[in-house]
């Protein structure tokens, strides 16, 4: 400890109390100006931000502040402010490339094309990758695309572009954006020939495909895939173009080679499904089951679809049950599971699943309505038509004028034997959609099957048959009408035609009845046995058992 006591100033004040500090006003405080400018930028006020940086650049010796002032003025297309800021930036030691870029942008804004070209030529003179990037940004920011396109073609020539494939690709893409399609294709084709990389081949192919030159595009895509078999994007593009030209099998083969992910598996499955290529579908299913965990887990819905296509309903149900609730296919997976459970003879589980989904989406009226419709369709598949009608009625509570639901309920009522209700619903559908031929046919058939109002039924079915003479369902209705009218020969001819085009248990039952009435018992028995193989429990066929 010191032995002497420190002396206080004579007036008794501490030294800091007598210190005078000069504080600049707001217009001369660089830090405050920059802070205000950044706040303005945060709010999207470019004008205020530019003014702040312009003031700060006059006070600061940092060239980056002046550069920012120039950039904001150019973004606002304020040539006067840009030139003022540019002068300050130059005085503070701006790099030559930055100056040329700014001069070119100012000249473009002012419509001085020759000056812009001069500045852009100087900017790209060294041929560096960075300078060509700056060149591209200048033209992208131009207000006049035609002017920018002209400069692009004059400056970014094959002779001046650097030995860098990305620069060539960038200039070609820029030409495409500016509407210079011939230039874009020319640069892309030369780049493909010069660099022979997957990227250049694929880009040139894409441009040819956009011009409708598919054969040239296919040849280039083949080279892209050959140059880099691991490039999945190139393989996907090549496969897509092959499929567009009708070669779905070729598309699947292209994607089958090389690395796989959920996208490639989904595309391969789609191509194989289009041609019903079961061996390919089996192969894809087997590969996907053994795929890495992340690929397989993101493809549960696809696995369910494949299992279903391959007639493995239980495996399909198991895969679909694994689809996460947050997956974009979660709802469809649930609906598909319910249908498969019904197919597996587990209707109680199917309806329970639909009910759980309905409860989970209770706050979404449109989803609830869709699930009520699914429930109704499941009851229809199970032959429980009365419950189907109830489910359709529940679905209609959200919109009693939904033509699709009224149509479905009309069919359910008809199958349940409530003909009056069926006719009422089908007539309601025709009031909503007078040109719906399916509804015309359904109403006509319902009347014929009930053997009532045959005059009206004949008018309806004549109209339906004229509209769609090759539809086997309508031909069946027409043939059944002829039977009711006592025209057995016409009935047989129509029903034979329908049965040949689409063997259906109900059509078979109609044909059997007509053949029996014509005394053709042997033929009737043959048709009956064939129809019974399709659906041993069909009520229309079982009703004829005693007659046979």
């Amino acid at each position: 400890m010191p032995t002497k006591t420190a002396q206080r100033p004579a007036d008794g004040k501490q030294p800091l109390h007598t210190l005078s500090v000069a504080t600049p006003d707001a217009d001369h405080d660089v830090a405050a100006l920059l802070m205000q400018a950044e706040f303005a930028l945060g709010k999207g006020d470019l004008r205020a931000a530019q003014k702040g940086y312009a003031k700060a650049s006059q006070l600061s010796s940092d060239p980056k502040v002046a550069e920012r002032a120039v950039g904001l003025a150019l973004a606002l297309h304020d040539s006067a402010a840009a030139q003022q800021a540019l002068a300050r930036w130059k005085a503070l030691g701006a790099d030559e490339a930055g100056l040329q870029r700014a001069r070119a942008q100012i000249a473009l804004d002012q419509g001085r094309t020759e000056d812009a070209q001069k500045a852009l030529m100087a900017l790209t003179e060294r041929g560096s990758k960075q300078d060509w990037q700056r060149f591209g940004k200048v033209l992208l920011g131009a207000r006049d695309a035609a002017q920018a396109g002209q400069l692009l073609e004059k400056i970014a020539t094959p002779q001046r572009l650097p030995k860098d494939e990305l620069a060539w690709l960038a200039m070609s893409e820029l030409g495409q954006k500016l509407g210079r399609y011939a230039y874009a294709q020319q640069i892309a084709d030369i780049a493909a020939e010069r660099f022979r990389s997957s990227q250049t081949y694929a880009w040139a192919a894409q441009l040819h495909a956009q011009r409708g030159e598919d054969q040239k595009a296919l040849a280039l895509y083949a080279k892209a895939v050959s140059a880099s078999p691991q490039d999945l994007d190139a393989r996907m593009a090549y496969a897509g173009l092959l499929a567009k030209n009708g070669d779905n099998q070729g598309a699947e083969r292209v994607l089958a080679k090389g690395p796989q992910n959920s996208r490639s598996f989904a595309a391969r499955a789609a191509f194989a499904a289009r041609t019903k290529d079961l061996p390919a579908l089996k192969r894809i299913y087997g590969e996907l089951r053994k795929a890495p965990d992340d690929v397989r887990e993101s493809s549960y819905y696809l696995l369910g679809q494949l299992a279903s296509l391959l007639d493995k309903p239980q495996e399909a149900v198991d895969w679909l049950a694994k689809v996460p609730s947050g997956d974009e296919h979660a709802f469809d997976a649930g609906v598909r599971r319910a249908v498969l459970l019904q197919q597996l003879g587990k209707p109680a589980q199917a309806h329970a699943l639909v009910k759980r989904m309905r409860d989970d989406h209770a706050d979404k009226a449109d989803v609830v309505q869709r699930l009520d419709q699914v429930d109704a369709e499941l009851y229809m598949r199970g032959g429980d038509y009365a419950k189907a009608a109830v489910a359709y009625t529940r679905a209609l509570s959200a919109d009693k004028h939904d033509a699709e639901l009224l149509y479905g309920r009309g069919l359910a009522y008809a199958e349940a034997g409530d003909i009056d209700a069926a006719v009422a619903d089908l007539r309601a559908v025709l009031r909503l959609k007078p040109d719906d031929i399916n509804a015309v046919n359904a109403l006509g058939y319902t009347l014929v099957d009930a053997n009532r109002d045959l005059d009206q039924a004949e008018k309806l079915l004549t109209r339906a048959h004229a509209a769609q003479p090759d539809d086997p369902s309508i031909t069946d209705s027409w043939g059944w009408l002829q039977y009711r009218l006592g025209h057995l020969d016409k009935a047989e001819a129509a029903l034979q035609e329908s049965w040949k085009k689409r063997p259906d248990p109900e059509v078979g039952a109609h044909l059997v009845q007509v053949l029996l009435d014509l005394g053709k018992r042997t033929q009737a028995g043959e048709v009956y046995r064939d129809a019974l193989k399709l659906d041993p429990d069909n009520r229309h066929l079982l009703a004829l058992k005693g007659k046979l």
Side-chain angles (χ1 to χ4, degrees):
M1 298 294 291
T3 57
K4 293 184 178 181
T5 304
Q7 297 293 316
R8 290 174 175 270
D11 58 1
K13 293 182 179 180
Q14 293 289 348
L16 284 180
H17 288 173
T18 62
L19 182 64
S20 176
V21 180
T23 56
D25 60 80
D27 285 340
H28 295 84
D29 188 337
V30 174
L33 287 168
L34 293 177
M35 190 177 296
Q36 289 170 7
E38 286 300 317
F39 276 127
L41 272 180
K43 294 189 294 184
D45 188 348
L46 289 181
R47 181 65 64 184
Q50 193 278 325
K51 287 182 179 178
Y53 267 101
K55 286 182 180 179
S57 69
Q58 297 302 318
L59 301 172
S60 171
S61 59
D62 186 350
K64 290 184 178 179
V65 176
E67 182 182 5
R68 193 72 182 276
V70 171
L72 289 168
L74 291 171
L76 290 164
H77 298 286
D78 187 339
S79 299
Q83 286 177 323
Q84 185 178 3
L86 183 62
R88 178 62 177 166
W89 186 23
K90 182 179 179 181
L92 293 175
D95 65 285
E96 186 62 25
L99 287 173
Q100 296 294 2
R101 174 186 172 183
R103 287 168 183 155
Q105 284 184 267
I106 293 170
L108 282 174
D109 272 353
Q110 294 178 340
R112 295 184 285 110
T113 305
E114 289 185 8
D115 289 340
Q117 181 176 342
K118 183 179 178 181
L120 290 172
M121 289 289 285
L123 173 62
T124 55
E125 193 63 42
R126 293 182 305 171
S128 74
K129 181 179 177 180
Q130 292 74 17
D131 289 341
W132 281 103
Q133 286 177 337
R134 294 187 181 102
F135 167 81
K137 288 179 180 178
V138 170
L139 295 189
L140 270 178
R143 287 188 286 188
D144 186 340
Q147 181 189 36
Q150 290 174 0
L151 289 170
L152 175 66
E153 292 191 7
K154 288 180 179 178
I155 298 169
T157 63
Q159 295 76 24
R160 298 191 77 246
L161 286 175
K163 296 178 180 179
D164 182 284
E165 67 177 271
L166 293 180
W168 284 71
L169 290 171
M171 292 304 107
S172 176
E173 186 175 358
L174 180 56
Q176 183 81 346
K177 287 181 178 179
L178 294 174
R180 300 285 166 160
Y181 304 115
Y183 168 84
Q185 188 71 71
Q186 177 199 18
I187 295 298
D189 287 340
I190 296 174
E193 189 61 33
R194 179 172 295 187
F195 299 104
R196 300 178 182 273
S197 68
S198 177
Q199 268 189 302
T200 53
Y201 281 134
W203 173 249
Q206 182 179 327
L207 293 183
H208 279 297
Q210 289 174 359
R211 294 158 67 95
E213 299 167 350
D214 286 1
Q215 296 310 308
K216 288 183 180 179
L218 286 170
L220 285 164
Y221 274 132
K223 290 182 179 180
V225 171
S226 177
S228 180
Q230 309 300 309
D231 188 340
L232 181 57
D233 288 334
R235 286 190 290 129
M236 289 286 285
Y238 185 24
L241 191 57
L242 284 169
K244 177 193 167 190
N245 283 272
D247 188 1
N248 287 288
Q249 289 183 325
E252 195 279 323
R253 285 195 298 270
V254 165
L255 284 180
K257 298 176 183 177
Q260 303 291 312
N261 62 14
S262 55
R263 285 174 56 224
S264 64
F265 276 122
R268 288 173 62 193
F271 297 141
R274 286 178 190 172
T275 55
K276 299 180 181 178
D277 188 344
L278 286 180
L281 290 171
K282 288 178 182 177
R283 186 175 65 251
I284 296 164
Y285 183 53
E287 289 177 30
L288 188 51
R289 290 178 66 181
K290 298 175 183 177
D293 291 347
D294 60 327
V295 175
R296 188 177 63 256
E297 289 168 7
S298 62
S299 303
Y300 284 142
Y301 183 64
L302 176 59
L303 281 162
Q305 289 179 304
L306 287 169
S308 181
L309 284 170
L310 295 171
D311 198 23
K312 300 176 184 290
Q314 186 57 61
E315 289 185 30
V317 167
D318 294 340
W319 288 120
L320 293 171
K322 294 182 179 182
V323 176
S325 58
D327 190 282
E328 61 177 324
H329 300 297
F331 181 83
D332 292 334
V335 170
R336 184 64 187 154
R337 268 177 70 204
V339 172
L340 289 167
L341 286 168
Q342 178 80 30
Q343 181 183 328
L344 287 165
K346 301 176 182 179
Q349 292 183 36
H351 291 293
L353 173 57
V354 173
K355 185 180 184 305
R356 286 199 303 274
M357 292 177 67
R358 195 179 189 278
D359 292 341
D360 291 342
H361 296 88
D363 58 332
K364 300 174 184 175
D366 57 330
V367 178
V368 169
Q369 184 186 54
R370 170 70 182 123
L371 289 168
D372 285 334
Q373 183 178 2
V374 170
D375 209 30
E377 290 168 0
L378 291 175
Y379 280 123
M380 290 289 284
R381 287 169 182 257
D384 198 338
Y385 304 115
K387 287 186 178 179
V390 171
Y392 274 121
T393 299
R394 196 166 59 241
L396 280 160
S397 63
D399 180 6
K400 64 181 181 180
H401 298 300
D402 187 306
E404 183 181 355
L405 294 174
L406 284 167
Y407 179 80
R409 189 174 68 174
L411 297 183
Y413 277 140
E415 292 290 349
D418 191 345
I419 304 303
D420 288 340
V423 169
D425 274 353
L426 293 171
R427 283 177 174 161
V429 173
L430 288 174
R431 284 195 294 273
L432 294 168
K433 299 173 70 177
D435 297 325
D436 188 332
I437 297 301
N438 287 330
V440 171
N441 177 57
L443 178 55
Y445 175 78
T446 299
L447 294 172
V448 168
D449 201 45
N451 204 16
R452 57 182 266 189
D453 300 326
L454 294 182
D455 289 345
Q456 183 187 359
E458 185 172 16
K459 290 177 182 178
L460 290 164
L461 293 177
T462 298
R463 177 184 167 196
H465 196 248
Q468 298 179 17
D470 296 325
D471 187 309
S473 296
I474 294 175
T475 304
D476 170 56
S477 300
W478 178 256
W480 200 228
L481 169 67
Q482 300 310 311
Y483 171 74
R484 292 295 195 202
L485 294 173
H487 306 150
L488 296 183
D489 290 340
K490 289 183 179 180
E492 182 192 6
L495 293 170
Q496 288 280 17
E497 180 186 343
S498 179
W499 175 250
K500 183 178 179 181
K501 286 182 178 177
R502 192 187 66 188
D504 176 89
E506 192 167 344
V507 176
H510 292 159
L511 181 55
V512 168
Q513 181 65 68
V514 172
L515 290 171
L516 286 173
D517 284 14
L518 286 168
K520 300 179 180 181
R521 297 187 62 80
T522 302
Q523 285 182 254
E526 291 173 357
V527 174
Y528 183 81
R529 284 189 293 273
D530 289 342
L532 209 57
K533 291 176 185 176
L534 299 172
D535 183 2
D537 300 318
N538 184 273
R539 63 186 181 89
H540 299 284
L541 290 171
L542 294 177
L544 292 169
K545 188 174 182 180
K547 296 183 179 182
L548 288 162

